[in-house]
Amino acid sequence: MPPHHELSLYELLGDEGVSAVVNDFYDRVIQDPRLNHYFQGMDMNRLRQHQMHFLVTYALGGPEIYKGPKLSLAHRNLHITDSDYEQVIRHLNRSLIRFEVPLEIRIKIEAFIRGIKPHIINK
Ligand code: HEM
């Protein structure tokens, strides 16, 4: 273990805390008039569950293994633009700040989210 082992968001907030952050983030995204057209006609409960699951497993350092659909497949034909992707990152950071997630952890999460960007945009 490195000398300064930093807690993952999952370790810091636990199951309930993470789900509070994810729900807050999700509400911001689907209420944003710039973004909500992507979600028309989607099964929101299913989406919420998968995105939550994905974030907990990969992005937020939780204990589970992601078993949902491949990211590039899930976003195929959505034609998500670069600036809409940035907007989603902005919402995520707002939620993380609201729940007082420390800067070091926010930076790690943002780096992770940016790393998977090629799987999500312009598909
Ligand atoms: C930022 C990182 C992102 C992650 C980790 C992520 C994660 C996921 C996952 C795991 C799914 C599969 C859910 C399922 O099939 O039930 C999904 C689907 C979807 N995502 Fe994302 N997503 C991201 C960014 C975005 C962005 C930027 C948008 C649009 C602005 C978006 C819109 C959608 C939509 C509309 C679906 C449903 C596709 C369908 O069911 O046909 N996602 N996302």
Side-chain angles (χ1 to χ4, degrees):
M1 198 183 281
H4 299 289
H5 172 68
E6 284 165 20
L7 291 175
S8 68
L9 182 60
Y10 187 82
E11 289 168 310
L12 190 76
L13 299 179
D15 262 330
E16 272 180 37
V18 170
S19 88
V21 171
V22 174
N23 281 328
D24 185 83
F25 162 59
Y26 214 70
D27 290 342
R28 288 174 198 272
V29 169
I30 59 183
Q31 282 163 23
D32 184 337
R34 215 175 112 177
L35 300 173
N36 62 12
H37 71 274
Y38 290 108
F39 299 91
Q40 305 240 308
M42 301 283 168
D43 177 343
M44 297 315 279
N45 285 331
R46 195 207 63 184
L47 266 188
R48 203 181 271 264
Q49 273 185 356
H50 274 150
Q51 293 208 337
M52 165 86 164
H53 185 56
F54 179 86
L55 286 166
V56 168
T57 51
Y58 274 106
L60 310 182
E64 293 173 64
I65 293 169
Y66 177 68
K67 297 195 202 76
K70 281 230 164 115
L71 280 189
S72 55
L73 221 62
H75 299 90
R76 187 174 288 173
N77 303 324
L78 292 177
H79 312 293
I80 297 167
T81 62
D82 188 81
S83 65
D84 287 346
Y85 195 84
E86 292 300 320
Q87 179 78 346
V88 167
I89 290 182
R90 237 170 265 136
H91 286 309
L92 181 59
N93 272 318
R94 286 187 189 123
S95 298
L96 294 170
I97 287 168
R98 177 171 177 202
F99 287 88
E100 298 178 346
V101 172
L103 178 64
E104 310 84 71
I105 293 183
R106 297 204 307 269
I107 288 172
K108 281 208 266 184
I109 291 169
E110 182 162 342
F112 176 87
I113 295 289
R114 288 193 184 284
I116 60 173
K117 185 172 173 177
H119 300 284
I120 306 224
I121 65 161
N122 297 325
K123 298 274 162 194

